[in-house]
Amino acid sequence: MSTPSLANYIIKRPWLRRWMQPLSEWYKDAAGYRKLGLRADDLIPEESETVLLALKRLPPKEAYDRVFRLRRAFQCSLAHQLLPKNEHTRPEEDRLYLSPIIKEIEAEIQEREDLEVMTIKKKKPNH
């Protein structure tokens, strides 16, 4: 999750964001994961400790829904079929649910590392 990204650069410039938004929506639609009923955060690999911890912090309903979406997409992939149009993930349903938790965990880890390397110096008494 902590790979270099131009997202912050683009978000800070409204004119660039307006220009990139339609391209972003087109790319998300062309990627095809919505046609399998998935959300963008369903595509995050579960290989890092941070992501595994974030998955444990998901509410039970969200975790169940995620597993259901992944299994259904796997079945569609095995059958070489897409879901019916009415079952595709709509853009308004494709919200981030795992990324905010991952960012929170990364901030906690960074804070813990900062606290571990902190040194405390005693003030010398003035005589």
Side-chain angles (χ1 to χ4, degrees):
M1 279 307 295
S2 50
T3 58
S5 173
L6 291 175
N8 290 334
Y9 180 82
I10 293 170
I11 290 171
K12 290 178 184 175
R13 287 152 184 84
W15 64 272
L16 189 55
R17 185 176 184 182
R18 282 192 306 271
W19 187 75
M20 293 296 287
Q21 191 68 35
L23 185 62
S24 168
E25 291 302 322
W26 172 83
Y27 180 78
K28 287 180 194 175
D29 192 47
Y33 66 87
R34 289 179 177 168
K35 295 175 183 169
L36 293 172
L38 295 172
R39 293 183 182 171
D41 277 359
D42 293 336
L43 305 176
I44 297 174
E46 299 177 13
E47 297 169 351
S48 75
E49 291 296 320
T50 307
V51 176
L52 291 174
L53 186 56
L55 289 171
K56 289 178 185 176
R57 290 187 184 182
L58 277 177
K61 170 92 169 86
E62 193 71 54
Y64 176 82
D65 290 347
R66 180 178 193 275
V67 170
F68 175 78
R69 287 190 303 270
L70 289 171
R71 286 184 178 173
R72 183 174 59 174
F74 184 69
Q75 286 295 98
C76 288
S77 178
L78 286 176
H80 298 285
Q81 295 177 345
L82 297 176
L83 289 174
K85 187 85 169 159
N86 63 342
E87 293 184 32
H88 289 190
T89 302
R90 295 187 299 277
E92 58 271 9
E93 294 173 338
D94 191 9
R95 59 178 175 75
L96 301 178
Y97 66 94
L98 191 60
S99 296
I101 299 173
I102 292 172
K103 288 178 184 173
E104 181 181 305
I105 291 171
E106 287 175 343
E108 289 172 7
I109 291 170
Q110 184 61 43
E111 182 180 1
R112 191 174 301 121
E113 288 174 0
D114 291 346
L115 288 173
E116 286 176 356
V117 297
M118 186 186 323
T119 58
I120 300 173
K121 295 181 181 178
K122 267 187 164 178
K123 283 188 175 182
K124 294 180 181 178
N126 293 335
H127 289 276

